[in-house]
Amino acid sequence: MNLQTLLDATRQESEARKAKDSIKSLKARIRDLPPARGFIRQIASRPFSLIAEIKLKSPSMGHMSIMESQDVARVHKLYDRHAVVSAISVLTQNAHFGGSPSALRQVHRETRKPVLRKDFIMDEYEVHYSRAIEADAMLLMASVVTDKARFQALHDLAVELGMDVLCEVHDEREMELLPPGVKLCGINSRNFQSGARFSFSKITRLLGRDITTDLGVFELAARLPEGCVKVAESGINAGNIGEVLKRHAFNAALVGTSLLKGGEKHTIEELDRFAAAIASAGRQSP
C-alpha cells in the first residue's frame, strides 16, 4: 500500500461528507462552538509532552486490529487520567485506520485535554470540517499538500478558525513548504511515499512491531526554527524514547500503536513506562 491508496480512500470519505453537509452548515456550527483548547499551549507548558493516539488499525501493521477488545471511550479516559499525556490524537479516516469523526467529537466532549484531528486533510472543506467536529488542532502533511502557497493557505485558514496546526514533514524537500515562523511541526519517521515500506506489513505483523520507520530522519528537528514546538512522530515507544530525547530536542512525541496493541492493562503499563523513561531523561516529572 502507498500514499496514493490512502488518499483515494480519504477523498471518497470526504466527498460523501460534502454530499450531506455543506460548507455553509459547517461554518454555522463553528460559530456556535466555544473556543478551541490550546493544543500548542498545553504541549509547551511542559519540558516534554506525550500526545497519545486513538486508532483501531494501521496499514503499517498489516491492518491488524490494534486496540483488540478496547473501545474508544475506555482508552480516552485512560489518556485523560494519566499525567504523562498532554493531548490526544484521533485518527478519523475509516477505510484504513478504522476511525470516524464521531469518535473525535466523543473524545473531545468526554476529556479535558486538547484533541488533534489526524487525517489526510487536502482542502478548505476538511479544514472547516475539522473545527466543526470540535478538533482543537489538525494535521497538515507536506507529503499530501505539496504546493507551498496552498499549504500556507490551509494552515492560515485553520488558525483563523481557532485551531492549532501540526505541520508534518518527512524529508528536507518537504521542509521547504513550511510556513514562515511555523509554531508546531512534526517530523514523521515513516515514509508514506514508499510502497516498498508497506510491503513489510506481513513481517511487521509476525514480529508484532512496526518496522516501517527510520528514526534517522529525526535529525531534521535541528533545522526547525527556534521557538517551534517539535514533535517526534512514528516509531516511538517507551523503550526508545529516552534515547530519542538524548539525541534530539523534541518537545513532544505522538504515540499510538505501542500504547494500544496489548489491551487496557498494557496501555496503563506503557504509559507508566513512558513517564519513567521521560523523567529519567530529565525532561519531565509527571
Side-chain angles (χ1 to χ4, degrees):
M1 179 179 299
N2 56 26
L3 177 62
Q4 191 58 52
T5 302
L6 300 174
L7 295 185
D8 289 344
T10 300
R11 288 190 182 94
Q12 290 179 9
E13 292 181 13
S14 181
E15 290 303 316
R17 285 191 284 270
K18 292 173 183 176
K20 296 178 180 178
D21 215 351
S22 70
I23 195 166
K24 182 178 180 181
S25 69
L26 296 182
K27 291 179 178 179
R29 292 211 299 273
I30 291 170
R31 285 195 294 269
D32 293 334
L33 291 176
R37 299 166 189 165
F39 191 88
I40 293 176
R41 183 175 65 249
Q42 179 70 8
I43 293 174
S45 68
R46 298 181 175 189
F48 188 80
S49 293
L50 197 68
I51 305 166
E53 190 157 87
I54 293 175
K55 59 182 176 182
L56 300 182
K57 56 186 180 179
S58 173
S60 65
M61 297 294 286
H63 280 87
M64 65 182 286
S65 173
I66 295 174
M67 290 175 62
E68 296 184 350
S69 61
Q70 300 191 82
D71 60 44
V72 170
R74 294 179 69 86
V75 171
H76 76 245
K77 289 175 182 176
L78 293 178
Y79 290 166
D80 196 47
R81 290 195 299 264
H82 206 290
V84 75
V85 177
S86 296
I88 300 172
S89 169
V90 181
L91 264 295
T92 59
Q93 200 234 52
N94 179 261
H96 298 288
F97 296 92
S100 71
S102 62
L104 186 146
R105 187 182 290 111
Q106 176 189 0
V107 171
H108 189 273
R109 292 181 178 182
E110 296 180 2
T111 63
R112 299 159 295 172
K113 296 175 179 179
V115 180
L116 168 77
R117 183 189 183 197
K118 195 158 180 273
D119 209 323
F120 302 95
I121 294 171
M122 294 176 268
D123 61 22
E124 289 80 1
Y125 180 93
E126 289 298 328
V127 175
H128 282 93
Y129 192 79
S130 297
R131 185 67 192 113
I133 60 173
E134 304 180 30
D136 301 300
M138 65 168 225
L139 179 69
L140 190 60
M141 300 171 64
S143 60
V144 172
V145 182
T146 58
D147 178 79
K148 185 177 179 65
R150 183 154 182 76
F151 193 98
Q152 178 84 56
L154 295 180
H155 173 277
D156 292 350
L157 174 59
V159 172
E160 180 183 333
L161 295 176
M163 291 182 289
D164 289 325
V165 183
L166 176 57
C167 299
E168 178 183 289
V169 298
H170 299 80
D171 56 36
E172 292 186 17
R173 179 188 58 81
E174 291 179 0
M175 290 188 71
E176 298 176 2
L177 300 180
L178 293 173
V182 60
K183 295 182 178 180
L184 178 66
C185 186
I187 307 296
N188 195 322
S189 68
R190 179 173 293 114
N191 182 2
F192 280 107
Q193 297 286 3
S194 172
R197 297 216 175 202
F198 280 92
S199 70
F200 288 117
S201 62
K202 290 184 179 179
I203 301 174
T204 294
R205 185 166 62 251
L206 290 171
L207 293 176
R209 60 185 175 86
D210 187 351
I211 62 169
T212 66
T213 57
D214 176 10
L215 302 190
V217 301
F218 287 157
E219 300 289 344
L220 293 174
R223 297 185 52 193
L224 291 172
E226 185 177 352
C228 175
V229 175
K230 305 171 185 179
V231 182
E233 300 180 50
S234 298
I236 300 295
N237 56 56
N240 66 21
I241 186 64
E243 183 62 27
V244 169
L245 292 183
K246 289 175 183 177
R247 296 186 61 182
H248 309 289
F250 282 110
N251 306 102
L254 196 158
V255 182
T257 301
S258 69
L259 293 175
L260 297 168
K261 63 183 180 180
E264 184 175 324
K265 184 174 183 290
H266 168 84
T267 298
I268 296 171
E269 292 174 347
E270 196 70 0
L271 288 171
D272 289 342
R273 288 182 65 210
F274 264 107
I278 292 167
S280 179
R283 297 293 294 278
Q284 178 177 322
S285 299

